[in-house]
């Protein structure tokens, strides 16, 4: 649930907390759903770890009236066709390749979003209710739930946003198949003697954003945005303390006649300890392209670049469709 959705946002280093205003707002800040004018559908696919893992997303949102909107989305991150070699050796100590089977491990996130404009002009809020489902073959599975709350404010072309994820703390409760666990409990002597913990807890996180769009000679536009990402834990973020860790991010979008878009962003600033025990600041650059025509928008992002000295990357594509297109 931390990876993100929509290649347009990922190309800008995820700095869309304040500016998001479409179907993908259900993920970035549900308050942005109030800006919808009609039904929208969004799709995204990405490969990770040299195509080993598959990441997929689908979202749908629609206005309820001129002051409120709703949306639903589904995210899946999974690795399929994993070799199960726990029974490779039979009771006689012989290797039997016919005893190898396949299994999948996958995480699912289902989100229901609701947004409404407040009586105060320029303010809107949104709420997410999330259900988390995790499956590791026949070995274990879990259910979880949590809530997000978002707020946006706009005045004189300036936009501000606040997104608090897992505001109530998100819980995942695991069910472990003890029979399957015992098959591997003694695979390494002295290890795996006790069942893993059955509860996972995701602590709250907050994102504070600001953005402004500049129009240049009617045909050209530049949107500049910034985010401050905060976690209530001590991490390797650029600014870190025992109470809170802060990671800034910046993003830009250049547009031409609301038809073609070029994007760039930088974020994920981390203090990385070197082999000589010194620290170096690493960051993650992102770039992207977009094309929009008659209610259909196709976006591409080159992201997950690791840091400025590494060349790890993922190619991400997404599609957004205004469903009003099919009624005209």
């Amino acid at each position: 649930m931390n990876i993100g959705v929509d290649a347009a946002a990922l190309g800008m280093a995820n700095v869309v907390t304040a500016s998001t205003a479409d179907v993908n707002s259900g993920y970035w800040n549900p308050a942005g759903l109030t800006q919808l004018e009609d039904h929208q559908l969004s799709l995204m696919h990405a490969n990770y770890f040299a195509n080993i893992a598959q990441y997929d997303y689908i979202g749908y949102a629609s206005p309820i009236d001129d002051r409120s909107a709703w949306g639903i989305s589904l995210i899946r991150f999974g690795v399929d066709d994993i070799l199960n070699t726990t029974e490779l050796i039979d009771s006689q100590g012989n290797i039997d390749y016919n005893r190898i089977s396949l299994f999948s491990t996958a995480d699912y996130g289902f989100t229901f979003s609701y947004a409404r404009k407040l009586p105060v002009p320029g303010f809107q809020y949104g709420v997410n209710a999330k259900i988390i489902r995790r499956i590791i073959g026949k070995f274990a599975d879990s259910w979880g739930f949590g809530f997000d709350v978002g707020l946006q404010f706009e005045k004189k072309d300036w936009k501000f946003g606040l997104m608090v994820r897992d505001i109530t703390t998100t819980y995942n409760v695991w069910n472990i198949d003890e029979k399957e666990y015992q098959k591997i409990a003694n695979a390494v002597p002295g290890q795996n003697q006790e069942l893993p913990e059955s509860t996972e807890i995701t602590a709250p996180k907050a994102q504070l954003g600001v953005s402004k769009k500049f129009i240049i000679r009617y045909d050209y536009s530049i949107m500049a945005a910034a985010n401050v990402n905060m976690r209530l834990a001590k991490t390797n973020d650029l600014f870190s303390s025992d109470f809170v860790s802060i990671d800034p991010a910046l993003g830009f979008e250049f547009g031409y006649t609301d038809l073609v878009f070029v994007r760039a962003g930088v974020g994920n600033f981390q203090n990385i300890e070197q082999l000589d025990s010194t620290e170096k600041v690493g960051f993650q650059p992102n770039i992207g392209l977009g094309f929009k025509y008659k209610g259909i928008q196709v976006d591409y992002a080159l992201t997950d670049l690791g840091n400025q000295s590494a060349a790890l990357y993922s190619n991400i594509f997404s599609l957004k469709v205004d469903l009003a297109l099919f009624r005209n």
Side-chain angles (χ1 to χ4, degrees), residues 126-154:
V127 179
N128 286 339
K130 302 184 296 186
I131 297 175
I132 311 299
R133 174 66 167 161
R134 308 185 70 183
I135 301 172
I136 305 177
K138 58 184 178 181
F139 304 102
D141 61 82
S142 75
W143 289 96
F145 62 92
F147 295 90
D148 306 328
V149 174
L151 182 69
Q152 284 185 335
F153 173 66
E154 181 176 358

Side-chain angles (χ1 to χ4, degrees), residues 213-214 216-222 253-262 290-292:
K213 189 173 184 178
F214 303 88
I216 305 172
R217 295 183 180 180
Y218 303 102
D219 290 338
Y220 301 92
S221 66
I222 297 178
E253 179 185 77
F254 172 81
Y256 173 68
T257 65
D258 201 32
L259 179 69
V260 179
F261 304 91
V262 178
F291 179 78
K292 181 179 179 180

Side-chain angles (χ1 to χ4, degrees), residues 76-308:
R76 181 188 186 270
F77 188 95
V79 179
D80 300 306
D81 296 331
I82 303 171
L83 294 177
N84 179 6
T85 60
T86 58
E87 299 180 4
L88 176 62
I89 301 175
D90 62 23
S91 59
Q92 305 300 317
N94 301 313
I95 295 178
D96 184 356
Y97 291 104
N98 292 322
R99 295 165 63 92
I100 295 178
S101 58
L102 301 175
F103 71 97
S104 297
T105 178
D107 293 352
Y108 298 86
F110 176 81
T111 302
F112 177 82
S113 307
Y114 174 79
R116 187 169 182 83
K117 294 181 179 179
L118 291 168
V120 181
F123 277 97
Q124 52 257 1
Y125 73 92
V127 179
N128 286 339
K130 302 184 296 186
I131 297 175
I132 311 299
R133 174 66 167 161
R134 308 185 70 183
I135 301 172
I136 305 177
K138 58 184 178 181
F139 304 102
D141 61 82
S142 75
W143 289 96
F145 62 92
F147 295 90
D148 306 328
V149 174
L151 182 69
Q152 284 185 335
F153 173 66
E154 181 176 358
K155 186 174 183 180
K156 296 182 179 179
D157 297 327
W158 284 90
K159 295 183 178 181
F160 304 89
L162 174 65
M163 175 66 165
V164 182
R165 300 184 182 277
D166 308 298
I167 190 169
T168 58
T169 304
T170 294
Y171 291 88
N172 260 72
V173 179
W174 283 90
N175 174 42
I176 300 170
D177 189 318
E178 295 190 30
K179 181 179 179 181
E180 292 295 328
Y181 179 80
Q182 290 303 319
K183 294 179 181 179
I184 61 172
N186 295 310
V188 179
Q191 297 186 21
N192 297 326
Q193 300 302 306
E194 296 182 1
L195 288 173
E197 293 184 8
S198 60
T199 303
E200 282 184 305
I201 298 175
T202 303
K205 298 177 289 293
Q207 296 171 307
L208 184 64
V210 59
S211 71
K212 183 175 174 60
K213 189 173 184 178
F214 303 88
I215 305 298
I216 305 172
R217 295 183 180 180
Y218 303 102
D219 290 338
Y220 301 92
S221 66
I222 297 178
M223 184 177 69
N227 259 28
V228 175
N229 306 312
M230 296 167 282
R231 289 184 282 182
L232 299 179
K234 189 171 185 178
T235 68
N236 289 333
D237 288 343
L238 188 59
F239 306 100
S240 184
S241 68
D242 291 334
F243 173 69
V244 64
S245 297
I246 299 175
D247 169 31
L250 299 171
F252 299 90
E253 179 185 77
F254 172 81
Y256 173 68
T257 65
D258 201 32
L259 179 69
V260 179
F261 304 91
V262 178
R263 306 180 181 98
V266 60
N268 196 25
F269 289 90
Q270 300 286 306
N271 293 311
I272 303 173
E273 185 174 352
Q274 306 300 301
L275 293 176
D276 59 2
S277 296
T278 61
E279 285 193 347
K280 180 180 179 181
V281 176
F283 58 86
Q284 178 181 322
N286 309 267
I287 57 175
L289 298 170
F291 179 78
K292 181 179 179 180
Y293 182 70
K294 290 187 176 180
I296 298 178
Q297 182 170 330
V298 179
D299 294 294
Y300 164 78
L302 183 66
T303 184
D304 283 346
L305 296 173
N307 58 53
Q308 72 277 18

